[in-house]
Amino acid sequence: MPATASSAEPFNVEPRGGELLAVCFTAMACPCEVLLASTEQALALECGRLVAQEAWRVERKFSRYRTDSVTAWIHEHRGTEVVLDDETAALVDFAKQCFDLSGGLFDITSGVLRRAWNFDGSDRVPKPSEIDSLLPFVGFEKLRWQPPYLFLPTGMELDFGGIGKEYAVDRAYDLLAARRSAPFLVNFGGDLRANRSPPAGRWQVGIERPDTDRNAAMILDLDHGALATSGDSRRYLLKDGIRYGHILNPRTGWPVADSPRSATVAASSCTEAGLLSTLALLQGPRAAEYLNEQGVRYWLT
């Protein structure tokens, strides 16, 4: 039976073999864990709390689903100029870099399109007119951004969901790395980062097979660094034999056609890996060509 911290704490401590302990919790609507090369449960819980608290902090601050988040505050002040705190300004600045580098394909203002799209596995594909009515509210270039001053036009939204989980992994990793040199791996819903190999060899990471319940398509060996996966296994629509994945082209408002079902990318940080995996799917049939041009390790399914 997994050990628990206490009835008041949402943690499980699980042995994973090879003198590894996993501290498991939930954040950002996904299962999360930190794996540690240790047999000391008290130490594992201390590290787990540190990682979980950072994950929850990032979620509270940037979630579009909370009314008390910075994102909600920005939306409440649409049509007026606001001054962002340093962390939020850095994240918006990174989003601008992503927008510029991707030629507009990676756009944190495209979340407004979810008003038309609900990727719940049904056949409810929106009408073209519904999508066309939202496109005027998409486009990072329509913001006025002079750090730390932001002007968000009325009707537009910011959505940090495309970078938030990977950013949380890197933040938690940095906090734990500053306190611990022994091997560990931070894993938030399959987006992960490790500092070094565990004593028994390498970290074993499963890449989920699309349309299955946690069945691995392949097992990867990881010494250190980060992996992130983007895909449509659980968020899609299916109508008249056509599958519509949740990766939307912000220029058209429609799902990208003929892209791989998933892309997993290895990089030095989880934020970089997540960006590249998403951009690969946005390339559609050019996904492999694009990742080859970036010179990174990747796996497509």
Side-chain angles (χ1 to χ4, degrees):
M1 293 289 291
T4 57
S6 75
S7 59
E9 291 186 312
F11 301 102
N12 284 341
V13 182
E14 304 174 357
R16 291 290 174 87
E19 298 188 342
L20 293 178
L21 289 176
V23 184
C24 307
F25 60 96
T26 299
M28 294 168 285
C30 66
C32 303
E33 64 182 3
V34 54
L35 296 170
L36 300 141
S38 174
T39 58
E40 299 179 35
Q41 289 205 7
L43 173 63
L45 279 172
E46 179 183 348
C47 295
R49 289 191 193 101
L50 179 71
V51 168
Q53 287 167 2
E54 183 62 9
W56 295 330
R57 183 194 70 81
V58 172
E59 181 178 15
R60 285 193 303 269
K61 183 168 184 178
F62 296 109
S63 173
R64 68 173 183 261
Y65 300 108
R66 298 178 63 99
T67 58
D68 58 349
S69 67
V70 167
T71 306
W73 175 79
I74 293 171
H75 292 166
E76 288 172 6
H77 291 82
R78 280 176 286 211
T80 62
E81 187 174 79
V82 297
V83 181
L84 303 185
D85 65 273
D86 290 347
E87 182 180 34
T88 305
L91 211 53
V92 173
D93 222 28
F94 176 71
K96 182 183 185 304
Q97 295 173 37
C98 296
F99 177 81
D100 292 340
L101 290 171
S102 67
L105 286 178
F106 191 98
D107 192 335
I108 64 169
T109 72
S110 64
V112 70
L113 293 168
R114 69 179 178 277
R115 297 179 190 173
W117 293 96
N118 182 21
F119 294 98
D120 58 2
S122 70
D123 64 352
R124 294 191 292 270
V125 175
K127 297 177 181 178
S129 59
E130 295 179 68
I131 298 168
D132 292 342
S133 68
L134 295 171
L135 290 180
F137 304 107
V138 178
F140 194 99
E141 77 282 356
K142 298 172 185 176
L143 309 181
R144 191 162 71 234
W145 173 233
Q146 296 177 319
Y149 302 99
L150 173 69
F151 179 90
L152 180 67
T154 301
M156 295 188 68
E157 297 181 9
L158 298 186
D159 184 352
F160 295 102
I163 53 179
K165 182 152 62 80
E166 295 87 350
Y167 173 73
V169 169
D170 287 335
R171 284 285 307 166
Y173 172 95
D174 289 341
L175 288 175
L176 192 52
R179 292 162 174 77
R180 181 175 175 82
S181 60
F184 68 84
L185 181 147
V186 176
N187 176 11
F188 293 173
D191 295 333
L192 53 90
R193 186 174 174 183
N195 67 334
R196 48 186 287 206
S197 295
R202 296 177 172 179
W203 300 104
Q204 302 287 301
V205 180
I207 303 300
E208 187 174 308
R209 188 185 304 278
D211 303 327
T212 64
D213 186 15
R214 296 181 178 274
N215 292 328
M218 64 189 82
I219 303 294
L220 306 181
D221 290 331
L222 180 69
D223 291 315
H224 66 278
L227 290 175
T229 300
S230 297
D232 71 350
S233 181
R234 290 177 174 79
R235 298 177 60 195
Y236 65 93
L237 297 175
L238 187 62
K239 183 176 183 179
D240 299 330
I242 300 174
R243 186 185 183 94
Y244 298 83
H246 78 282
I247 303 294
L248 299 176
N249 184 328
R251 298 166 180 160
T252 66
W254 286 85
V256 178
D258 301 321
S259 65
R261 295 294 306 280
S262 73
T264 299
V265 175
S268 58
S269 73
C270 200
T271 304
E272 180 186 2
L275 172 64
L276 290 172
S277 64
T278 300
L279 287 179
L281 295 188
L282 283 165
Q283 302 297 319
R286 287 192 64 252
E289 181 182 348
Y290 169 79
L291 291 172
N292 285 331
E293 291 170 354
Q294 308 311 308
V296 295
R297 288 195 303 150
Y298 66 90
W299 300 264
L300 302 178
T301 59

Short mmCIF file of all heavy atoms in Angstrom, two decimals, residues 1-39:
data_model
loop_
_atom_site.label_atom_id
_atom_site.label_comp_id
_atom_site.label_asym_id
_atom_site.label_seq_id
_atom_site.Cartn_x
_atom_site.Cartn_y
_atom_site.Cartn_z
N MET A 1 0.84 -1.20 0.00
CA MET A 1 0.00 0.00 0.00
C MET A 1 0.87 1.24 0.00
O MET A 1 1.85 1.31 0.74
CB MET A 1 -0.90 0.01 1.25
CG MET A 1 -1.94 -1.09 1.26
SD MET A 1 -3.24 -0.75 0.03
CE MET A 1 -4.01 0.67 0.79
N PRO A 2 0.54 2.26 -0.80
CA PRO A 2 1.31 3.51 -0.79
C PRO A 2 1.23 4.18 0.57
O PRO A 2 0.19 4.17 1.23
CB PRO A 2 0.62 4.36 -1.87
CG PRO A 2 -0.12 3.40 -2.71
CD PRO A 2 -0.53 2.30 -1.81
N ALA A 3 2.33 4.75 1.00
CA ALA A 3 2.33 5.52 2.23
C ALA A 3 1.78 6.90 1.96
O ALA A 3 1.95 7.45 0.87
CB ALA A 3 3.74 5.62 2.79
N THR A 4 1.09 7.47 2.93
CA THR A 4 0.55 8.81 2.79
C THR A 4 1.17 9.73 3.81
O THR A 4 1.56 9.30 4.90
CB THR A 4 -0.97 8.82 2.95
OG1 THR A 4 -1.31 8.27 4.21
CG2 THR A 4 -1.64 8.00 1.86
N ALA A 5 1.26 11.01 3.47
CA ALA A 5 1.84 11.97 4.38
C ALA A 5 0.97 12.11 5.61
O ALA A 5 1.44 12.02 6.73
CB ALA A 5 1.98 13.32 3.67
N SER A 6 -0.29 12.35 5.45
CA SER A 6 -1.28 12.42 6.51
C SER A 6 -2.62 12.56 5.84
O SER A 6 -2.71 12.81 4.64
CB SER A 6 -1.03 13.62 7.44
OG SER A 6 -1.42 14.82 6.81
N SER A 7 -3.68 12.39 6.59
CA SER A 7 -5.02 12.48 6.00
C SER A 7 -5.31 13.89 5.51
O SER A 7 -6.21 14.11 4.71
CB SER A 7 -6.07 12.06 7.03
OG SER A 7 -5.98 12.89 8.18
N ALA A 8 -4.53 14.89 5.99
CA ALA A 8 -4.78 16.28 5.61
C ALA A 8 -4.00 16.71 4.38
O ALA A 8 -4.23 17.78 3.85
CB ALA A 8 -4.44 17.20 6.78
N GLU A 9 -3.05 15.88 3.94
CA GLU A 9 -2.20 16.27 2.82
C GLU A 9 -2.47 15.40 1.60
O GLU A 9 -2.57 14.18 1.72
CB GLU A 9 -0.73 16.17 3.21
CG GLU A 9 -0.30 17.21 4.23
CD GLU A 9 1.18 17.17 4.48
OE1 GLU A 9 1.72 16.06 4.69
OE2 GLU A 9 1.81 18.23 4.45
N PRO A 10 -2.58 16.01 0.43
CA PRO A 10 -2.92 15.26 -0.78
C PRO A 10 -1.70 14.63 -1.45
O PRO A 10 -1.47 14.81 -2.64
CB PRO A 10 -3.55 16.33 -1.67
CG PRO A 10 -2.83 17.58 -1.30
CD PRO A 10 -2.51 17.46 0.18
N PHE A 11 -0.91 13.90 -0.69
CA PHE A 11 0.29 13.27 -1.24
C PHE A 11 0.24 11.76 -1.01
O PHE A 11 -0.23 11.30 0.03
CB PHE A 11 1.57 13.80 -0.58
CG PHE A 11 1.77 15.28 -0.71
CD1 PHE A 11 1.50 16.11 0.36
CD2 PHE A 11 2.23 15.83 -1.88
CE1 PHE A 11 1.69 17.47 0.25
CE2 PHE A 11 2.43 17.20 -2.00
CZ PHE A 11 2.16 18.02 -0.93
N ASN A 12 0.77 11.02 -1.95
CA ASN A 12 1.10 9.61 -1.77
C ASN A 12 2.59 9.44 -1.97
O ASN A 12 3.17 10.04 -2.88
CB ASN A 12 0.36 8.72 -2.78
CG ASN A 12 -1.09 8.54 -2.43
OD1 ASN A 12 -1.51 8.75 -1.29
ND2 ASN A 12 -1.88 8.14 -3.42
N VAL A 13 3.21 8.64 -1.13
CA VAL A 13 4.61 8.28 -1.31
C VAL A 13 4.65 6.81 -1.71
O VAL A 13 4.18 5.95 -0.97
CB VAL A 13 5.44 8.50 -0.03
CG1 VAL A 13 6.90 8.15 -0.30
CG2 VAL A 13 5.32 9.95 0.43
N GLU A 14 5.20 6.53 -2.88
CA GLU A 14 5.19 5.18 -3.44
C GLU A 14 6.61 4.72 -3.75
O GLU A 14 7.37 5.46 -4.38
CB GLU A 14 4.37 5.14 -4.73
CG GLU A 14 2.95 5.63 -4.59
CD GLU A 14 2.23 5.70 -5.93
OE1 GLU A 14 2.89 5.40 -6.96
OE2 GLU A 14 1.05 6.07 -5.94
N PRO A 15 6.98 3.51 -3.33
CA PRO A 15 8.27 2.95 -3.77
C PRO A 15 8.20 2.58 -5.24
O PRO A 15 7.19 2.04 -5.71
CB PRO A 15 8.43 1.71 -2.88
CG PRO A 15 7.04 1.33 -2.51
CD PRO A 15 6.24 2.60 -2.44
N ARG A 16 9.25 2.84 -5.98
CA ARG A 16 9.27 2.55 -7.41
C ARG A 16 10.40 1.59 -7.79
O ARG A 16 10.70 1.42 -8.96
CB ARG A 16 9.44 3.85 -8.21
CG ARG A 16 8.21 4.74 -8.14
CD ARG A 16 7.03 4.17 -8.91
NE ARG A 16 5.83 4.96 -8.73
CZ ARG A 16 5.52 6.01 -9.47
NH1 ARG A 16 6.33 6.40 -10.44
NH2 ARG A 16 4.40 6.66 -9.24
N GLY A 17 11.05 0.98 -6.82
CA GLY A 17 12.13 0.05 -7.13
C GLY A 17 13.42 0.79 -7.38
O GLY A 17 13.43 1.99 -7.69
N GLY A 18 14.52 0.08 -7.25
CA GLY A 18 15.81 0.69 -7.50
C GLY A 18 16.12 1.81 -6.53
O GLY A 18 16.77 2.78 -6.89
N GLU A 19 15.61 1.70 -5.31
CA GLU A 19 15.80 2.72 -4.27
C GLU A 19 15.27 4.08 -4.72
O GLU A 19 15.87 5.13 -4.46
CB GLU A 19 17.27 2.82 -3.87
CG GLU A 19 17.83 1.55 -3.25
CD GLU A 19 19.21 1.73 -2.67
OE1 GLU A 19 19.88 2.72 -3.03
OE2 GLU A 19 19.62 0.88 -1.86
N LEU A 20 14.12 4.05 -5.38
CA LEU A 20 13.45 5.28 -5.79
C LEU A 20 12.14 5.43 -5.03
O LEU A 20 11.43 4.44 -4.78
CB LEU A 20 13.15 5.26 -7.29
CG LEU A 20 14.32 5.30 -8.26
CD1 LEU A 20 13.80 5.22 -9.69
CD2 LEU A 20 15.15 6.56 -8.07
N LEU A 21 11.81 6.66 -4.68
CA LEU A 21 10.51 6.99 -4.11
C LEU A 21 9.82 8.01 -5.01
O LEU A 21 10.47 8.91 -5.55
CB LEU A 21 10.66 7.57 -2.70
CG LEU A 21 11.08 6.61 -1.58
CD1 LEU A 21 11.27 7.37 -0.27
CD2 LEU A 21 10.05 5.50 -1.40
N ALA A 22 8.51 7.86 -5.15
CA ALA A 22 7.71 8.83 -5.91
C ALA A 22 6.73 9.50 -4.96
O ALA A 22 6.04 8.83 -4.20
CB ALA A 22 6.95 8.13 -7.02
N VAL A 23 6.70 10.82 -5.00
CA VAL A 23 5.69 11.58 -4.26
C VAL A 23 4.67 12.07 -5.28
O VAL A 23 5.02 12.81 -6.21
CB VAL A 23 6.32 12.78 -3.52
CG1 VAL A 23 5.25 13.49 -2.68
CG2 VAL A 23 7.46 12.31 -2.62
N CYS A 24 3.42 11.63 -5.14
CA CYS A 24 2.40 11.87 -6.15
C CYS A 24 1.33 12.83 -5.62
O CYS A 24 0.95 12.78 -4.45
CB CYS A 24 1.73 10.55 -6.54
SG CYS A 24 2.90 9.25 -7.05
N PHE A 25 0.83 13.69 -6.50
CA PHE A 25 -0.21 14.65 -6.17
C PHE A 25 -0.90 15.05 -7.46
O PHE A 25 -0.53 14.60 -8.55
CB PHE A 25 0.38 15.86 -5.43
CG PHE A 25 1.41 16.62 -6.23
CD1 PHE A 25 1.06 17.74 -6.98
CD2 PHE A 25 2.74 16.21 -6.25
CE1 PHE A 25 2.01 18.42 -7.73
CE2 PHE A 25 3.70 16.89 -6.99
CZ PHE A 25 3.32 18.01 -7.73
N THR A 26 -1.88 15.91 -7.36
CA THR A 26 -2.61 16.38 -8.53
C THR A 26 -2.49 17.90 -8.64
O THR A 26 -2.62 18.60 -7.64
CB THR A 26 -4.10 15.99 -8.45
OG1 THR A 26 -4.20 14.56 -8.41
CG2 THR A 26 -4.85 16.51 -9.67
N ALA A 27 -2.23 18.39 -9.83
CA ALA A 27 -2.19 19.82 -10.11
C ALA A 27 -2.49 20.03 -11.58
O ALA A 27 -2.23 19.14 -12.41
CB ALA A 27 -0.83 20.42 -9.76
N MET A 28 -3.05 21.18 -11.92
CA MET A 28 -3.32 21.53 -13.31
C MET A 28 -4.12 20.44 -14.02
O MET A 28 -3.89 20.13 -15.19
CB MET A 28 -2.01 21.84 -14.04
CG MET A 28 -1.31 23.07 -13.51
SD MET A 28 0.39 23.30 -14.09
CE MET A 28 1.22 22.06 -13.10
N ALA A 29 -5.05 19.83 -13.27
CA ALA A 29 -5.96 18.80 -13.79
C ALA A 29 -5.23 17.58 -14.33
O ALA A 29 -5.71 16.92 -15.26
CB ALA A 29 -6.88 19.39 -14.86
N CYS A 30 -4.05 17.26 -13.78
CA CYS A 30 -3.33 16.09 -14.24
C CYS A 30 -2.54 15.47 -13.09
O CYS A 30 -2.22 16.14 -12.10
CB CYS A 30 -2.39 16.44 -15.40
SG CYS A 30 -1.03 17.54 -14.95
N PRO A 31 -2.22 14.17 -13.19
CA PRO A 31 -1.39 13.54 -12.17
C PRO A 31 0.04 14.05 -12.25
O PRO A 31 0.61 14.18 -13.34
CB PRO A 31 -1.48 12.04 -12.52
CG PRO A 31 -1.79 12.02 -13.98
CD PRO A 31 -2.64 13.23 -14.25
N CYS A 32 0.62 14.35 -11.09
CA CYS A 32 1.98 14.87 -11.02
C CYS A 32 2.79 14.04 -10.04
O CYS A 32 2.24 13.42 -9.12
CB CYS A 32 1.98 16.33 -10.56
SG CYS A 32 1.01 17.45 -11.60
N GLU A 33 4.09 14.05 -10.22
CA GLU A 33 4.95 13.32 -9.30
C GLU A 33 6.36 13.88 -9.36
O GLU A 33 6.77 14.51 -10.34
CB GLU A 33 4.98 11.83 -9.65
CG GLU A 33 5.58 11.53 -11.02
CD GLU A 33 5.56 10.05 -11.38
OE1 GLU A 33 5.03 9.25 -10.58
OE2 GLU A 33 6.07 9.70 -12.45
N VAL A 34 7.08 13.64 -8.26
CA VAL A 34 8.52 13.87 -8.25
C VAL A 34 9.16 12.56 -7.81
O VAL A 34 8.77 11.96 -6.81
CB VAL A 34 8.92 15.04 -7.33
CG1 VAL A 34 8.38 14.88 -5.92
CG2 VAL A 34 10.43 15.20 -7.30
N LEU A 35 10.08 12.07 -8.62
CA LEU A 35 10.80 10.82 -8.33
C LEU A 35 12.16 11.17 -7.74
O LEU A 35 12.87 12.02 -8.28
CB LEU A 35 10.99 10.00 -9.62
CG LEU A 35 9.72 9.50 -10.29
CD1 LEU A 35 10.03 8.93 -11.67
CD2 LEU A 35 9.06 8.44 -9.44
N LEU A 36 12.51 10.48 -6.66
CA LEU A 36 13.74 10.79 -5.94
C LEU A 36 14.56 9.54 -5.70
O LEU A 36 14.00 8.48 -5.36
CB LEU A 36 13.42 11.43 -4.59
CG LEU A 36 12.63 12.74 -4.67
CD1 LEU A 36 11.62 12.80 -3.56
CD2 LEU A 36 13.57 13.93 -4.61
N ALA A 37 15.87 9.66 -5.88
CA ALA A 37 16.78 8.56 -5.53
C ALA A 37 17.00 8.61 -4.02
O ALA A 37 17.97 9.18 -3.53
CB ALA A 37 18.09 8.70 -6.28
N SER A 38 16.07 8.03 -3.28
CA SER A 38 16.11 8.09 -1.83
C SER A 38 15.21 7.00 -1.26
O SER A 38 14.25 6.57 -1.92
CB SER A 38 15.66 9.46 -1.32
OG SER A 38 15.57 9.48 0.09
N THR A 39 15.48 6.57 -0.05
CA THR A 39 14.60 5.65 0.67
C THR A 39 14.04 6.32 1.92
O THR A 39 13.36 5.66 2.70
CB THR A 39 15.37 4.37 1.06
OG1 THR A 39 16.51 4.72 1.87
CG2 THR A 39 15.83 3.61 -0.17
#
